[in-house]
Every structure is written in structure tokens, then in C-alpha cells.
């Protein structure tokens, strides 16, 4: 397990194939569960299968979250921890908590994994079994909330070097996701001995806001999901452990269209980014390096592209614009045109619907593997959002320990 860039050859990736949790979305709850539309689950699964196959066809090992979770639940400590997390919900009350406890303890690992991901509906528990709380619940409510955003595995964990950061998700609808990834990395045999770089109880940081621009250089978006305190905490940890020599803190607009840094900028080559032109000239960065003792040295903000190029040891970064005109750029940014997943330098996966952006990439010498995403995109995420790289080849010239 090792990742020191956004673009070196991808070897192993963590995905989550959408399942019953997506079928829990309704017009009543899709906003609170952070989806812009109600996805067609069967088509979303077909699209995701095509995405996974595109990765495999290029030699990438695909790990599935559901499989890892099921295997993790065979470990007694992991099972106890994950069920305790669900039962700690103060909404339940004593009577309903006792019923849910009894229900969960009888489930074998695969079925329990399904409940932890897809939730438990009011109607799935015996009527009258949970006392006042159960009786006063609306029949459409969930005793255990579903986690439809598990699809976006980038956000709940990220690898820097040979360590994994289990993040702290900002939105209430997503916070339980990290209890799952936290347990997998601590208890699954595949990850035995892995050191944790970050944990869910810390300040808010989400993986979509973290770009490993080059070995030793991180950019952290600060906006709707990642706080300045979270960026500072992660910066302290990567600098203290020698996993980075420079961290760039990049403020982005706190709005749905730009929820993460990777919605406006991703890397497609060692010296090239695909970027939303409306922000390319205005994006700035604070440069953070190690100071004296435990202090951080923080330089005043300056243009992001300039600061990034300097930290990466480049004269400049090549910029590939989203779209060709302002209207197309805005449309394709909303449709995750910037949210590409690099499989190697000059090779990336992108949604097929972003026609102009993909053409721009190809004109710049980037090979584009197009995938469909009409249903996958309803949660506001593209190929990068849906993937957590676990192993990449060290970038040429990097000094992997």
C-alpha cells in the first residue's frame, strides 16, 4: 500500500458498487442524504460495473468495500465496534435500542454488512416492538439510516505514502461512513500493521479535498467540507512524519457546485491539471512548511497554480480547461468534467457526457477512457470521487522509503 502522487500507475483501488442503499432514496430524503436526484439503481450498477471493468482492463486490482466489510465483521472486535456505533444513536431510546440490539446480534456477517450500509427501515422491525419511540416514528423513517454516499470512497479515506488517513466527514448524513472504513483498516488482515495518519474524531477533512500533487506536496481544499482546522491538523501530521515537505491550503467556494477541491481541479499528468476556468485565475493558496519546533511556517496567499508549480519543482503547470466557452464550462464542471481519475501519466477516466472537456484533454495529449455516468452522477461525484487509490507505483524520481 503506497501512494505518492495523483498520476503514477494505479495498481489497487477501493470501490463501492452501489446497492440497496441507493434504493432507500426518495423525494422525501434525497436532499438530506445529499443526492440531487433519485437514481435508477439498476442502471447505476451497470455504469459502475463498466467503470470497474475499465480499471481492470488496464491492470488495476479492484477491491470492493462490501466484501472487505463482510470479511472485517468476522472479527469479533470489529463487529462489536460497528454495532455499538449504530446503537449509540440517541434517537433510539432504551426500548428500541434493545430491539435493534437483538436484531443485529443474530445476523451473519454478510447480512449485517448489508444493514450497516443500507440501513434498517421502520417497517423492517416487528410492529410495537420498540416502545414509544417506535410507535411515534413515521413509517417512512429509518431506525438505522442508509449510507448512499458510500459510493464515493475517495472521501472517507485517503492514502499518503504508506499511511492511511481515515477522514472526518462534515455532513451528518455521511459521518457513519468513516466508522466502516476505520474498522476495515484496523481489523481486516489485508491492512494489518497499517499506521493511521488521521482519524474520524479529529477536525473535518474529506478526501475529495486532498490532492497529492507530487511526492511530498499536498494541496488541501478548504470550503464546504474541509475546515481550516482540519487542513492544519493534516498538514501538521504529514509534515511531522516526513510524508510531505509542503502543504498548500486552498480556499474554495462553500457551495454545492464546488464542494471539494477535486470538483474544480484534478491532475492528468505530472505537470498538467484539468481545471474549471472560472476559478483558475482566482484560486489562491497558503503555503505551509515545517517551522521551528512544533510550529508551522505559513506563507501569505498567492496564486494557487504559481505556488503549486514552485512546490513541485516545475516552471509552470499546464492547464487544460473544462469546456471551450463559459456556458459549456459551467455545465461540464457541474457534470464533474474536472473530476477525472488518472490511471497513469496522460491516461485518465472521465464521464463520457463531458464532450468538450474530453476533447480538450485529448488535444493536450491525454488519453481518455470514457465511462457513462448518467445515474452515478446524481450524487455529485465523478470517477475520482468514486475511487480510493490504495497502491500506485512510486512516481519516477520519488524517494520512497
Amino acid at each position: 500500500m503506497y501512494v505518492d502522487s495523483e498520476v503514477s500507475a494505479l495498481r489497487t483501488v477501493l470501490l463501492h458498487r452501489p446497492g440497496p442503499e441507493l434504493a432507500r432514496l426518495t423525494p422525501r430524503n434525497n436532499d438530506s442524504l445529499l443526492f440531487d436526484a433519485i437514481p435508477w439503481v439498476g442502471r447505476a450498477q451497470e455504469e459502475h460495473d463498466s467503470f470497474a471493468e475499465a480499471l481492470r482492463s488496464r491492470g488495476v486490482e479492484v477491491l470492493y468495500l462490501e466484501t472487505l466489510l463482510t470479511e472485517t465483521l468476522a472479527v469479533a472486535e470489529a463487529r462489536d465496534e460497528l454495532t455499538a456505533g449504530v446503537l449509540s444513536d440517541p434517537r433510539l431510546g432504551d426500548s428500541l435500542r434493545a430491539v435493534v440490539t437483538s436484531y443485529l446480534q443474530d445476523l451473519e456477517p454478510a447480512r449485517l454488512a448489508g444493514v450497516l450500509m443500507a440501513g434498517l427501515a421502520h417497517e423492517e422491525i416487528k410492529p410495537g416492538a420498540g416502545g414509544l419511540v417506535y410507535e411515534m416514528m413515521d413509517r417512512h423513517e429509518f431506525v438505522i439510516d442508509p449510507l448512499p454516499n458510500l459510493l464515493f470512497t475517495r472521501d472517507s479515506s485517503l492514502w499518503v505514502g504508506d499511511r492511511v488517513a481515515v477522514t472526518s466527514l462534515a455532513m451528518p448524513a455521511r459521518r457513519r461512513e468513516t466508522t466502516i472504513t476505520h474498522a476495515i483498516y484496523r481489523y481486516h488482515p489485508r491492512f494489518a500493521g497499517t499506521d493511521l495518519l488521521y482519524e474520524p474524531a479529529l477536525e473535518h477533512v474529506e478526501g475529495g479535498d486532498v490532492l497529492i500533487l507530487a511526492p511530498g506536496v499536498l494541496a488541501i481544499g478548504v470550503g464546504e467540507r474541509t475546515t481550516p482546522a482540519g487542513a492544519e491538523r493534516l498538514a501538521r501530521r504529514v509534515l511531522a512524519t516526513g510524508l510531505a515537505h509542503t502543504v498548500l491550503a486552498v480556499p474554495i467556494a462553500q457551495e454545492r457546485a464546488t464542494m471539494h477541491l477535486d470538483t474544480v481541479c484534478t491532475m492528468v499528468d505530472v505537470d498538467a491539471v484539468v481545471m474549471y476556468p472560472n476559478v483558475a485565475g482566482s484560486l489562491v493558496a497558503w503555503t505551509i512548511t515545517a517551522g521551528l519546533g512544533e510550529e508551522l511556517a505559513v506563507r501569505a496567499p498567492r496564486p494557487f497554480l504559481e505556488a503549486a508549480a514552485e512546490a513541485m519543482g516545475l516552471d509552470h503547470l499546464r492547464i487544460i480547461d473544462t469546456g471551450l466557452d463559459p456556458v459549456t464550462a459551467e455545465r461540464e464542471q457541474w457534470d464533474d468534467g474536472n473530476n477525472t481519475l488518472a490511471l497513469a501519466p496522460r491516461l485518465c477516466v472521465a464521464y463520457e457526457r463531458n464532450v468538450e472537456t474530453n476533447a480538450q484533454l485529448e488535444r493536450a495529449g491525454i488519453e481518455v477512457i470514457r465511462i457513462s455516468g448518467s445515474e452515478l452522477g446524481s450524487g455529485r461525484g465523478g470517477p475520482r470521487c468514486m475511487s480510493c487509490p490504495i497502491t500506485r507505483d512510486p512516481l519516477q524520481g520519488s524517494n520512497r522509503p
Side-chain angles (χ1 to χ4, degrees), residues 66-111:
E66 180 176 3
T67 302
L68 294 178
L69 176 58
T70 300
E71 293 167 349
T72 298
L73 287 168
V75 180
E77 294 91 339
R79 183 185 180 106
D80 291 345
E81 184 176 300
L82 286 167
T83 54
V86 168
L87 295 169
S88 67
D89 188 340
R91 296 178 309 140
L92 296 179
D94 291 341
S95 296
L96 185 54
R97 182 173 294 108
V99 172
V100 175
T101 299
S102 177
Y103 181 89
L104 297 180
Q105 70 185 9
D106 292 332
L107 300 178
E108 47 85 26
R111 176 68 181 124

Side-chain angles (χ1 to χ4, degrees), residues 213 219-222 247-253 261 264 275 278-287 299-308:
L213 300 177
I220 306 175
V222 176
V247 176
L248 305 177
V250 186
I252 54 176
L261 181 58
V264 297
M275 195 166 188
N278 287 17
V279 303
S282 60
L283 217 56
V284 299
W286 273 259
T287 300
R299 292 172 59 185
R302 57 190 179 128
F304 165 67
L305 293 168
E306 175 186 311

Side-chain angles (χ1 to χ4, degrees), residues 88-141:
S88 67
D89 188 340
R91 296 178 309 140
L92 296 179
D94 291 341
S95 296
L96 185 54
R97 182 173 294 108
V99 172
V100 175
T101 299
S102 177
Y103 181 89
L104 297 180
Q105 70 185 9
D106 292 332
L107 300 178
E108 47 85 26
R111 176 68 181 124
L112 178 57
V115 172
L116 293 174
M117 295 185 295
L120 185 64
H122 177 272
E123 298 295 286
E124 292 169 345
I125 289 185
K126 184 179 178 181
L132 179 64
V133 176
Y134 182 86
E135 293 299 331
M136 294 188 69
M137 288 178 72
D138 185 279
R139 63 184 299 270
H140 298 295
E141 286 188 69

Side-chain angles (χ1 to χ4, degrees), residues 195-224:
D195 290 325
L196 294 181
L197 181 64
Y198 208 85
E199 298 192 58
L202 298 172
E203 299 89 345
H204 294 318
V205 170
E206 299 199 356
D209 276 319
V210 182
L211 304 182
I212 306 178
L213 300 177
V217 183
L218 268 64
I220 306 175
V222 176
E224 185 189 53

Side-chain angles (χ1 to χ4, degrees), residues 236 289-298:
R236 285 186 183 280
T289 54
L292 295 175
E294 296 183 359
E295 292 301 311
L296 298 178
V298 182

Side-chain angles (χ1 to χ4, degrees), residues 11-91:
R11 299 303 180 191
T12 303
V13 69
L14 175 63
L15 305 183
H16 175 61
R17 186 178 189 266
E21 68 280 356
L22 280 195
R24 302 289 205 181
L25 291 165
T26 71
R28 290 182 305 276
N29 66 21
N30 69 295
D31 286 342
S32 64
L33 292 175
L34 311 178
F35 271 69
D36 293 323
I38 309 300
W40 177 5
V41 178
R43 180 60 55 84
Q45 291 173 327
E46 291 174 4
E47 292 173 352
H48 196 273
D49 290 343
S50 295
F51 174 42
E53 186 52 39
L55 300 182
R56 292 191 191 96
S57 71
R58 298 297 179 125
V60 179
E61 177 191 21
V62 174
L63 303 180
Y64 283 112
L65 183 72
E66 180 176 3
T67 302
L68 294 178
L69 176 58
T70 300
E71 293 167 349
T72 298
L73 287 168
V75 180
E77 294 91 339
R79 183 185 180 106
D80 291 345
E81 184 176 300
L82 286 167
T83 54
V86 168
L87 295 169
S88 67
D89 188 340
R91 296 178 309 140

